[in-house]
Amino acid sequence: ENFQQKTSAPFSTDSYDAFISPNTLNLSSFTKLMKKLQEIHPEASRDKIVDALLEVRKNNKGILSGLSINSIVERTSVIL
């Protein structure tokens, strides 16, 4: 019963949690990606970068897996 309660908890709507899912990027890739994008675009807020990443994902049939980090950085930079 406790196990079911834990697994049925709703996901947070926080943009960080919403971005991370098993089908997109693992945490270390996301961290590397955010660090790289923040270095390239110091003027952009974290939320703005996440929004741009979500747009890249949307433009790529809803997934980021299969794209290299450099490709994701390039596509996100165009949006930013």
Side-chain angles (χ1 to χ4, degrees):
E1 188 177 330
N2 287 342
F3 179 74
Q4 286 178 336
Q5 287 174 341
K6 288 179 186 171
T7 58
S8 65
F11 287 103
S12 167
T13 55
D14 178 19
S15 61
Y16 179 79
D17 289 340
F19 180 75
I20 296 295
S21 87
N23 298 324
T24 54
L25 293 172
N26 66 37
L27 187 56
S28 95
S29 293
F30 178 78
T31 303
K32 278 191 237 174
L33 188 55
M34 285 302 294
K35 185 177 179 197
K36 199 169 207 175
L37 286 164
Q38 287 170 329
E39 287 170 1
I40 296 169
H41 303 283
E43 77 291 349
S45 69
R46 181 180 174 87
D47 285 346
K48 188 172 181 181
I49 292 171
V50 170
D51 287 344
L53 284 166
L54 290 170
E55 190 170 330
V56 170
R57 183 175 73 176
K58 185 181 85 175
N59 294 340
N60 193 54
K61 302 176 187 169
I63 57 170
L64 290 175
S65 59
L67 295 175
S68 69
I69 287 186
N70 285 340
S71 176
I72 296 169
V73 167
E74 287 172 14
R75 293 177 188 205
T76 305
S77 293
V78 169
I79 293 166
L80 290 170

